[in-house]
Amino acid sequence: MAWQKMLYSCCLLTACLIYVLAKPQPDKKDRVHLGQDLSDHLHDDKQDFQYDHEAFLGKEDAKTFDQLTPEESKERLGKIVDRIDRDGDGFVTQPELKDWIKHTQNRYIYENVDKNWKDYDKNNDGHIAWEEFKNATYGYYEGEAFGDVENKETYRKMLERDERRFKAADKDGDLIATREEFTAFLHPEEFDYMKDLVVSETIEDIDKNKDGFVGVDEYLGDMYSPESGEPEPDWVKTERQQFLDFRDLNKDGKMDREEIGHWILPPDYDHAEVESKHLLFESDKDKDNKITKQEILDNWNMFVGSQATNYGEDLTKEHDEL
């Protein structure tokens, strides 16, 4: 029996080693940038408005409203409407509503920008110049041409890449980033005018033979490093077939810029566009394609929750006021 247990243990160890060696590389970032859903809830207004609440407020703030009385919810909603109406004409249009929904859904991005802003705006003028960013990030090393730094070539390439991205984000070319431009620098995948740069950076990362294309082996090599003599795992075979069937659209054995863009930045269903049209349609009583604050407040329970509509929720969790 002892030899059977030993054999079993050896088999189990071998299986574990195969799994460890065959799994995707943990340091590889997800290349594909997909638009996020506005809510985890089913969008069915006949049952409840939880989807609409999370789309309009964001998930965390939707929970905050669930703790409020109807009166408090309406009061806060009124203040939000004033912020949505950017031009102050007393109406909320569909584009204004869409921009608000996108803002709430991308709040994590703005929080990340705020966190980094303080580190780089050294003169507190409300802008970040390239020199400010470069000096804060590379100043000490760059001044000595990275002389004492290990992997100096890596640092040099990082500096070149950051400078190119900063210049791409800087729309007016003055090498001074506004908050929006700095957001585009940190999160280029979120901005249409930066998407070509995202494709270029992806090619640089994966295109090992520097021919300007990504072949199937380069595509797989970004996810997986085979061990000598190791059979190709099933998930790698599946990815190989995905490349042949769906990535290489013109079937020439490699991905060009357009195909890479289609892969990492796929055409996406615009959730914010659809939801903003839905909220406007349901609230626009006079059908003039814009809604007043009163029209929104009359339909308040579609936009925000309260204790009255969420009486079964846990009301003890505290959140900061909007």
Side-chain angles (χ1 to χ4, degrees), residues 104-116:
T104 61
Q105 296 297 319
N106 290 333
R107 191 165 295 169
Y108 76 95
I109 291 177
Y110 302 119
E111 289 173 353
N112 176 251
V113 172
D114 289 341
K115 179 181 177 181
N116 284 277

Side-chain angles (χ1 to χ4, degrees), residues 136-264:
T137 307
Y138 300 99
Y140 172 76
Y141 301 112
E142 197 266 340
E144 300 180 8
F146 304 111
D148 297 329
V149 180
E150 292 185 20
N151 300 320
K152 64 177 67 177
E153 184 63 18
T154 299
Y155 273 85
R156 186 186 64 77
K157 289 181 179 179
M158 287 171 57
L159 174 60
E160 290 178 355
R161 185 161 171 153
D162 277 346
E163 183 173 10
R164 183 183 60 190
R165 185 189 285 195
F166 193 97
K167 288 179 177 178
D170 177 29
K171 286 184 174 181
D172 57 10
D174 62 357
L175 292 181
I176 299 175
T178 63
R179 187 169 289 268
E180 180 184 1
E181 290 170 337
F182 193 64
T183 304
F185 170 71
L186 293 180
H187 300 276
E189 71 281 352
E190 299 294 334
F191 292 79
D192 287 338
Y193 78 98
M194 295 290 286
K195 289 183 177 179
D196 189 61
L197 180 85
V198 176
V199 173
S200 294
E201 291 182 352
T202 302
I203 294 174
E204 287 178 359
D205 289 343
I206 305 177
D207 176 25
K208 301 305 180 184
N209 64 8
K210 305 305 177 186
D211 65 349
F213 300 92
V214 172
V216 63
D217 290 334
E218 291 170 326
Y219 170 77
L220 293 174
D222 189 51
M223 313 174 191
Y224 162 72
S225 293
E227 293 294 321
S228 178
E230 174 194 348
E232 189 169 85
D234 289 341
W235 71 264
V236 177
K237 294 177 182 178
T238 299
E239 281 294 341
R240 184 183 296 277
Q241 198 61 44
Q242 287 280 323
F243 181 94
L244 298 174
D245 292 343
F246 303 109
R247 307 284 183 247
D248 178 20
L249 300 177
N250 62 8
K251 308 305 178 188
D252 65 351
K254 56 193 176 185
M255 286 193 289
D256 57 25
R257 291 189 65 86
E258 184 177 353
E259 290 168 327
I260 292 168
H262 193 274
W263 164 44
I264 64 173

